[in-house]
Amino acid sequence: MTRRLTVAQATITFLKNQYIERDGVEELYFGGCFGIFGHGNVAGLGQALQQNPDFRYYQCRNEQSMVHTAVAYAKVKNRLGAFVCTTSIGPGATNMITGAALATINRLPVLLLPGDIFATREPNPVLQQLESASTQDISVNDCFKPVSKYWDRINRPEQLIYSLPEVMRVLTSQSEMGAVTLSMPQDVQTHAYDFPEELFKKRVWHVGRPRPDLPTLHKAAEWIRSSKNPVIVAGGGAIYSGAETILHDFATKTGIPVGETFAGKGAVKFDEPYSIGGLGATGTKYAIEIANEADVVIGIGTRYSDFTTASKSIFKNPDVKFININVSEFDAFKHAALPVIGDAKVILEELSILLGDFAVEQDYRRKIADYNQAWDNEVTQIYKDGNSTIPPIDQAIVIGTLNNFMGRRDVMINASGSAPGDLHKLWRATDSKNFHLEYGFSCMGYEIAAGLGAKMADPSRDIYVICGDGGYLMNNHEIVTSIQEGVKFTILLLNNNGYASIGGLSESIGSERFGTMYNYRDENSGQLSGDFLPVDLAKNAESLGAIVIKATDRTSLEQALEQSKINTRTTVIYIETSLYRTVKGYHAWWEVPIAEVSESASVQKAFETYTENKKSQRIFL
């Protein structure tokens, strides 16, 4: 039995019949297709999507942002659902590369279908074609190769039969997940072929829970039993595996403290006595202290980024050992760890049985509980007072007001600027989806697009996006899509007239915030040191269709949040905040190289500090 379809029609027909199942719960895998049509996909994939209205097409405004929307959707779905993104050739395709890198770095699934040049080559060079003098077998779509977990080009219709199952294998692989790119030459999309009917039958992709090697698990239990100051580092994998409950039971029973990465924050609730909060360069002072004393570090679903390890300057105990629980072998072996490879949830269940009645000493348990309370008291004070009584409002007060206002299951989204560091330290997470930070790629412009994707993934949750002026100016396009689709969320737009995070970093390396503020160019000095630019971000958001409310202090912000909750379309709360006042760091370092020679005294001093900090850096072998 065969069915005669175009390559594009066959692709959509296959994709809409793919399902995913874990723990007996079965769901349709794809939520639909985001896209922007051009000459490279309108006659092929565009026609196929029109012919298959049950595979819903969503009209987006920017190719990069549509991938961000798809990534946020997958993140809220715990990687058990995904979106397709299609573009034309040339700039439409290359605009998606940033989104592809973000997806792959964060281990989140998205299927990209960029149009491509003619496979026949007959009309070459076509509009927007990249030509090469050394080969004709290349296009801009080859740029997706290093940022994709799987890449293929369909030059003949029958190749689709073998490529589509591979696409799904990688998209649903817990250890190989990321962006998948299927390059679609524009002529081949329209070519017909007699595809086997079996290709289009319903297919359910089972996501298993791989169990660990038993001798390795026993060794991990021995290491933990012999430890005095163990600590858990909860990463995103702890949430994606649905291990929150067993992690809570494990930590409660053993008393082992739990610190969290950006992706792992929310794996445990902030007020549990074993919780030490954010860990690493932007962590709490108590989490850093515990990490430095730890003799056994149990990483759960973390890839140990330089923010988590403070550029390998924490975990100072000379005898520290690492146990890495991870479904990915690549991540499990980091830091010369004992690699416990498999699903986090089942590993914690089995490890708990092997540990029996093991628990840390009561003094250690009490110390952790005291630290939890002490940090909570500090957060309360910061939320109340900020860092200054001088207007404009502090970012910490904005964060605290939002944190106190939101419901337990609501979602806060952020990705870039100075907010991630403050949020990692301060945010009181009440649910595993309550804290949504993209900090693998820390991509400016992720935030607003992600608000759309998160709301589409779970309409039962209210979504609140914290976005700085820099991120807003880079990518605000999907406000329009949210209006078009009736998908409402709230954006807190913080304007401090500059790049606060990089400005602060510039100061720390002695460069005095050079090139980081939104100023006119001064005619006398030739530098960007004049008055602030007269850009009205609030009017801009309003022009895109959003409801805009301005807030100036805590009271007006609380009122704006109340109003946004009852509004029926996307709402932007515009707040002017201080460029200089953020929450301080706590004795942790993040390596940014400093110029070895400079005429600037401040750079010279920064290099001395850098050289000293390098001495605390370790190599784990």
Side-chain angles (χ1 to χ4, degrees):
M1 296 288 291
T2 60
R3 195 189 312 185
R4 190 161 183 80
L5 296 170
T6 67
V7 165
Q9 292 163 1
T11 299
I12 300 303
T13 304
F14 172 87
L15 295 177
K16 72 180 184 180
N17 285 298
Q18 304 306 301
Y19 289 75
I20 193 165
E21 175 269 322
R22 184 171 73 177
D23 298 337
V25 178
E26 181 181 300
E27 294 182 88
L28 191 65
Y29 184 66
F30 289 106
C33 179
F34 297 126
I36 297 177
F37 293 133
H39 67 281
N41 64 343
V42 67
L45 285 163
Q47 187 280 329
L49 286 162
Q50 182 183 28
Q51 187 171 303
N52 290 274
D54 51 341
F55 196 78
R56 182 169 289 186
Y57 167 75
Y58 296 87
Q59 180 187 75
C60 294
R61 272 71 198 172
N62 177 274
E63 293 89 353
Q64 176 184 324
S65 63
M66 76 167 74
V67 185
H68 295 336
T69 301
V71 167
Y73 178 92
K75 186 176 177 72
V76 173
K77 285 281 189 181
N78 268 356
R79 311 197 302 181
L80 298 175
F83 252 86
V84 180
C85 297
T86 182
T87 69
S88 188
I89 74 169
T94 55
N95 279 352
M96 286 203 296
I97 291 173
T98 295
L102 182 145
T104 295
I105 287 169
N106 285 283
R107 278 66 160 170
L108 290 163
V110 60
L111 175 56
L112 310 179
L113 302 179
D116 207 342
I117 58 177
F118 278 68
T120 62
R121 304 179 183 172
E122 289 176 336
N124 288 6
V126 297
L127 178 65
Q128 300 174 337
Q129 179 173 345
L130 174 72
E131 292 186 89
S132 169
S134 60
T135 179
Q136 295 191 52
D137 188 26
I138 194 171
S139 78
V140 296
N141 286 7
D142 289 82
C143 297
F144 284 95
K145 288 179 178 179
V147 294
S148 298
K149 297 298 287 188
Y150 179 83
W151 185 97
D152 199 2
R153 178 178 278 125
I154 304 302
N155 285 311
R156 292 179 58 88
E158 56 267 42
Q159 292 173 348
L160 200 65
I161 300 168
Y162 306 98
S163 189
L164 286 174
E166 286 299 293
V167 163
M168 288 305 302
R169 177 187 66 79
V170 176
L171 284 172
T172 59
S173 167
Q174 300 298 286
S175 60
E176 290 296 322
M177 206 169 278
V180 169
T181 302
L182 201 57
S183 184
M184 306 284 276
Q186 54 190 302
D187 54 341
V188 177
Q189 289 179 44
T190 66
H191 291 174
Y193 184 76
D194 294 320
F195 290 95
E197 190 66 45
E198 192 172 355
L199 182 66
F200 307 119
K201 288 183 179 178
K202 175 182 175 180
R203 186 174 302 198
V204 181
W205 297 84
H206 171 67
V207 177
R209 294 194 176 276
R211 298 184 179 275
D213 172 66
L214 198 54
T216 304
L217 190 66
H218 276 277
K219 190 172 184 179
E222 290 173 13
W223 283 16
I224 295 170
R225 274 196 298 266
S226 63
S227 67
K228 298 296 182 185
N229 300 301
V231 65
I232 291 170
V233 179
I239 295 173
Y240 299 143
S241 73
E244 299 97 318
T245 299
I246 182 60
L247 176 57
H248 165 73
D249 293 343
F250 185 87
T252 300
K253 172 186 166 186
T254 64
I256 300 175
V258 179
E260 300 160 307
T261 70
F262 281 97
K265 194 168 176 68
V268 299
K269 294 182 178 63
F270 78 96
D271 55 357
E272 296 293 349
Y274 55 75
S275 173
I276 53 175
L279 179 68
T282 52
T284 75
K285 59 183 176 183
Y286 300 114
I288 294 164
E289 181 181 325
I290 292 301
N292 285 334
E293 295 173 355
D295 52 359
V296 170
V297 178
I298 307 165
I300 304 176
T302 177
R303 63 190 189 94
Y304 288 110
S305 78
D306 63 343
F307 262 77
T308 299
T309 67
S311 298
K312 296 186 175 71
S313 67
I314 59 173
F315 307 121
K316 294 182 184 298
N317 188 321
D319 299 317
V320 66
K321 294 188 287 189
F322 290 84
I323 298 169
N324 288 346
I325 297 170
N326 208 299
V327 75
S328 166
E329 182 179 280
F330 177 75
D331 291 320
F333 274 86
K334 287 177 178 176
H335 291 177
L338 179 68
V340 187
I341 301 167
D343 177 78
K345 183 179 179 182
V346 297
I347 289 173
L348 284 175
E349 288 170 347
E350 295 182 7
L351 192 56
S352 184
I353 293 170
L354 287 177
L355 287 174
D357 61 357
F358 167 81
V360 299
E361 296 291 338
Q362 282 300 319
D363 286 349
Y364 190 51
R365 191 189 285 263
R366 277 193 296 269
K367 177 181 177 180
I368 299 304
D370 289 345
Y371 279 178
N372 174 272
Q373 188 59 60
W375 181 248
D376 193 54
N377 292 340
E378 191 159 340
V379 170
T380 297
Q381 198 64 40
I382 294 172
Y383 277 180
K384 178 176 178 291
D385 298 334
N387 297 297
S388 174
T389 57
I390 303 170
I393 193 171
D394 280 1
Q395 183 168 267
I397 291 176
V398 174
I399 291 171
T401 303
L402 177 63
N403 202 175
N404 293 333
F405 174 82
M406 282 173 52
R408 182 184 65 81
R409 295 183 67 256
D410 294 346
V411 180
M412 180 282 304
I413 296 175
N414 184 246
S416 61
S418 60
D422 289 357
L423 288 162
H424 194 211
K425 286 187 280 284
L426 301 178
W427 193 261
R428 290 163 164 163
T430 53
D431 180 86
S432 61
K433 295 302 172 190
N434 179 244
F435 184 91
H436 182 127
L437 251 289
E438 187 288 295
Y439 217 64
F441 212 39
S442 184
C443 185
M444 294 178 70
Y446 172 82
E447 295 92 342
I448 292 173
L452 175 65
K455 186 66 174 179
M456 292 175 70
D458 191 344
S460 72
R461 299 176 188 260
D462 284 339
I463 311 297
Y464 296 87
V465 171
I466 295 177
C467 184
D469 45 14
Y472 179 85
L473 286 168
M474 281 198 179
N475 197 354
N476 54 40
H477 316 85
E478 301 318 321
I479 288 176
V480 180
T481 307
S482 77
I483 303 300
Q484 182 178 40
E485 295 294 339
V487 179
K488 178 250 175 175
F489 54 96
T490 298
I491 302 163
L492 280 73
L493 174 51
L494 312 187
N495 183 16
N496 51 31
N497 292 292
Y499 300 116
S501 176
I502 295 304
L505 181 60
S506 175
E507 262 191 337
S508 74
I509 65 168
S511 293
E512 302 171 332
R513 293 185 180 263
F514 172 75
T516 64
M517 292 186 284
Y518 303 155
N519 301 113
Y520 282 105
R521 189 171 298 282
D522 182 83
E523 291 183 3
N524 296 319
S525 69
Q527 300 296 327
L528 298 174
S529 56
D531 293 335
F532 284 131
L533 299 175
V535 179
D536 194 328
L537 301 181
K539 284 184 179 178
N540 178 269
E542 193 171 44
S543 75
L544 297 177
I547 297 170
V548 177
I549 309 170
K550 289 188 176 181
T552 57
D553 54 21
R554 190 195 305 272
T555 300
S556 59
L557 176 56
E558 289 171 343
Q559 293 169 348
L561 287 167
E562 291 285 358
Q563 181 59 50
S564 76
K565 194 170 181 66
I566 61 176
N567 288 346
T568 56
R569 75 175 192 265
T570 293
T571 299
V572 172
I573 301 174
Y574 175 83
I575 316 154
E576 292 191 0
T577 57
S578 169
L579 181 66
Y580 302 100
R581 298 195 299 271
T582 57
V583 180
K584 65 180 180 179
Y586 293 97
H587 311 296
W589 175 61
W590 182 49
E591 182 173 10
V592 176
I594 313 293
E596 288 191 46
V597 294
S598 172
E599 297 175 357
S600 167
S602 58
V603 173
Q604 293 168 13
K605 181 174 175 53
F607 182 73
E608 290 176 11
T609 303
Y610 171 76
T611 304
E612 192 62 31
N613 283 330
K614 283 286 287 183
K615 295 176 183 177
S616 67
Q617 202 168 38
R618 297 187 60 183
I619 298 173
F620 299 105
L621 296 173

